[in-house]
Amino acid sequence: MTELRTDILIVGGGLGGVAAALAALRLGQRVVLTDENRWLGGQMTAQGVPPDEHMWIESEGCTNSYRSMRERVRAYYREHYPLTPAARADRALNPGQGQVSGLCHEPIVGDAVLRNMLQPYLSNQQLILLQAYFPVTVETAGDRVRAVTLRSGERTVSIQASYVLDATELGDLLELGGVEHVIGAESQQQTGELHALVDAPDPRSQQGFSWCYALSYHPEADHRIAKPAMYEFWRGYRAAFWPAQHLRWVYAEPTTLEPVVRPIFTAPPTSVDGDDLWHFRRLLYAGHFAKDYLDSDITLVNWVQMEYWLKPLVGVTESERSVALYEAQQLSLSFLYWMQTEAPRPAGGYGYPGLRLRGDVFGNTPHGLAQAPYIRESRRIQAEFTILEQHVGYEARSGLLGAENFPDSVGVGSYRIDLHPTYRRNYVDISTWPFQIPLGALIPIRVENLLPACKNIGTTHITNGCYRLHPVEWNIGEAAGALAAYCLLQNTQPRQVLHSSDHLASFQSLLVSQLGFQLQWSEAVRLTPRHKLNPLGI
């Protein structure tokens, strides 16, 4: 077994993990960053989902480093791709022209940009990057984490660190280290939230996850895949709360839950816009590139028809988790096979055999899907402060203007509370005010040197729905990395920073002056509720 010692260990190389590493590195700390996947960036890359952001993202509402990452993505296309003059000159270039985001792009470009941001620290060995490693044990002593052991095939490494950040997609270190945490859905009796479960908490009620994939379309070709093993099951499956069989163009509109029909094509696939599934998460739009550079647009399939909610991923055995992951892969492939062979065409006929599964978009995985499933919900720490629907929800604030003001703010975010179906419940999709990220939600109630750096902060099942998106995860991770570095520099601890007015003011000043954080919204934005609906969620 290899043994390492570092200032800060970050387990998980998603957006939160990378942002945490950048903050700690910029503040002079030595960092070990690990991840299970081949690509850095988590939900934006290995899971395949383009950044989903609020409407003000081009002018405010994120940290400087997140804004730099976005601009580097655009610069990558300008420097390396044959863009048209108009696309090259577009300051707000959207490579895929997808509707869900102002920056729909290929996952591999996200990985390249994040790796480029980390490279200076790899070159001088301030950063050690371990990929294809997953945590297997967490050694603790009292209220502190002493070491984390990770494995990659036959190799194991034990890493000791002054601070350990859990940036895993499911909050794995919380379970391994016995850190107090919550899974699934709380009840109204526990939280007082309007939209919490009425009867009793349900740990198994976790948002569905999705195994995404990319498609191109070649109308004259036949790219049908082999019939998936579970196709007949998924072809006939219908949840009790769903308006039709799962493999249909029909889905439940997230706010009203009324049936909506939205096929893959209503406009030509090559058009700039279209009110259909093809244009919703398109990653590359051929019209942005030189003539004949692309023989088809490429779109990302992250639609509710391939969203899996039968079994949860946490609070279950390893074998149960493996079954859930397999069944989710089968659902994704079954939806593709249905689209290729049986899906009704608006103009008549059935099936689109020209839909081609683009496994190359994800580095040629064995199944042709993304490298990892898209995770919406994680284990969540029991924190010094828990963010409730009453703090951010438009209806729950009973006519109050704006979200709760948090004096310990370490960032901002904005998204609707967008909860996807669980095994027992349909969408919960409700308006919110633009909100802040309180430091108290990053401090565990007991453990002193472990910090959450992803979707595992002190939210509830309800508020997770608006604190889990790309720019917020980045902000959470960057704040956690900066907090660990600050504590090392000042010889203090996270809990002391939270409860000391002098330390809190000093830490917030560091975030703003040295790292370019935004701790509160401009007044005009703060009082603008997030009513805009993402028609298929994310």
Side-chain angles (χ1 to χ4, degrees), residues 134-302:
F134 62 93
V136 290
T137 62
V138 173
E139 180 186 347
T140 62
D143 294 336
R144 299 188 69 84
V145 173
R146 292 188 59 185
V148 179
T149 299
L150 301 105
R151 181 178 299 148
S152 178
E154 298 300 315
R155 297 169 293 173
T156 58
V157 57
S158 176
I159 306 173
Q160 295 184 21
S162 299
Y163 282 91
V164 176
L165 274 57
D166 185 347
T168 62
E169 294 296 327
L170 290 171
D172 294 332
L173 300 191
L174 306 183
E175 171 98 357
L176 293 171
V179 180
E180 291 81 359
H181 63 276
V182 179
I183 62 174
E186 297 92 345
S187 68
Q188 288 184 358
Q189 184 176 5
Q190 289 177 304
T191 68
E193 294 172 303
L194 286 175
H195 293 87
L197 295 179
V198 175
D199 46 7
D202 186 351
R204 295 182 66 89
S205 187
Q206 302 163 25
Q207 290 185 73
F209 65 96
S210 304
W211 215 303
C212 303
Y213 52 97
L215 295 176
S216 54
Y217 183 51
H218 312 271
E220 306 305 319
D222 187 343
H223 291 290
R224 286 176 291 181
I225 63 172
K227 185 177 179 180
M230 290 186 66
Y231 181 69
E232 293 303 329
F233 170 81
W234 288 117
R235 184 174 181 270
Y237 171 74
R238 178 182 178 180
F241 55 75
W242 205 245
Q245 279 77 21
H246 214 41
L247 304 188
R248 296 291 188 274
W249 296 137
V250 182
Y251 64 92
E253 198 278 332
T255 54
T256 67
L257 304 183
E258 293 297 317
V260 175
V261 178
R262 194 179 196 191
I264 188 171
F265 299 121
T266 57
T270 56
S271 61
V272 177
D273 295 305
D275 186 23
D276 53 34
L277 296 174
W278 181 262
H279 292 83
F280 193 57
R281 300 189 189 279
R282 188 169 53 184
L283 301 175
L284 285 181
Y285 167 51
H288 279 331
F289 301 91
K291 185 179 180 181
D292 299 328
Y293 173 69
L294 294 174
D295 60 357
S296 168
D297 295 350
I298 299 175
T299 199
L300 179 81
V301 179
N302 178 24

Side-chain angles (χ1 to χ4, degrees), residues 230-462:
M230 290 186 66
Y231 181 69
E232 293 303 329
F233 170 81
W234 288 117
R235 184 174 181 270
Y237 171 74
R238 178 182 178 180
F241 55 75
W242 205 245
Q245 279 77 21
H246 214 41
L247 304 188
R248 296 291 188 274
W249 296 137
V250 182
Y251 64 92
E253 198 278 332
T255 54
T256 67
L257 304 183
E258 293 297 317
V260 175
V261 178
R262 194 179 196 191
I264 188 171
F265 299 121
T266 57
T270 56
S271 61
V272 177
D273 295 305
D275 186 23
D276 53 34
L277 296 174
W278 181 262
H279 292 83
F280 193 57
R281 300 189 189 279
R282 188 169 53 184
L283 301 175
L284 285 181
Y285 167 51
H288 279 331
F289 301 91
K291 185 179 180 181
D292 299 328
Y293 173 69
L294 294 174
D295 60 357
S296 168
D297 295 350
I298 299 175
T299 199
L300 179 81
V301 179
N302 178 24
W303 311 328
V304 72
Q305 291 91 341
M306 35 73 71
E307 191 169 316
Y308 179 87
W309 55 60
L310 292 188
K311 299 178 179 69
L313 290 178
V314 298
V316 296
T317 65
E318 193 62 41
S319 61
E320 289 176 307
R321 184 180 297 112
S322 295
V323 170
L325 293 171
Y326 171 75
E327 291 181 352
Q329 289 179 355
Q330 284 289 301
L331 172 56
S332 291
L333 293 170
S334 293
F335 181 45
L336 171 57
Y337 186 77
W338 177 81
M339 288 192 290
Q340 291 174 326
T341 61
E342 295 191 62
R345 295 170 173 256
Y350 297 89
Y352 297 89
L355 291 172
R356 178 186 171 196
L357 180 61
R358 295 294 299 269
D360 58 304
V361 172
F362 291 102
N364 294 310
T365 55
H367 39 58
L369 309 176
Q371 293 178 18
Y374 171 47
I375 304 297
R376 296 181 178 88
E377 186 169 336
S378 168
R379 300 175 181 90
R380 306 181 297 278
I381 65 165
Q382 289 187 28
E384 287 263 344
F385 180 83
T386 301
I387 306 163
L388 305 175
E389 182 183 353
Q390 297 93 302
H391 297 127
V392 299
Y394 182 77
E395 181 183 1
R397 292 203 39 91
S398 301
L400 296 173
L401 289 177
E404 186 79 12
N405 179 58
F406 295 127
D408 62 337
S409 172
V410 292
V412 296
S414 178
Y415 202 74
R416 292 176 62 82
I417 289 176
D418 171 25
L419 293 176
H420 283 236
T422 72
Y423 80 97
R424 60 175 285 179
R425 193 182 192 193
N426 211 326
Y427 281 107
V428 175
D429 196 300
I430 51 182
S431 298
T432 61
W433 295 99
F435 50 81
Q436 297 169 307
I437 304 166
L439 178 60
L442 275 66
I443 311 297
I445 58 172
R446 177 183 59 85
V447 178
E448 299 292 351
N449 69 330
L450 182 141
L451 297 169
C454 193
K455 296 180 286 288
N456 50 350
I457 66 169
T459 58
T460 63
H461 174 72
I462 298 295

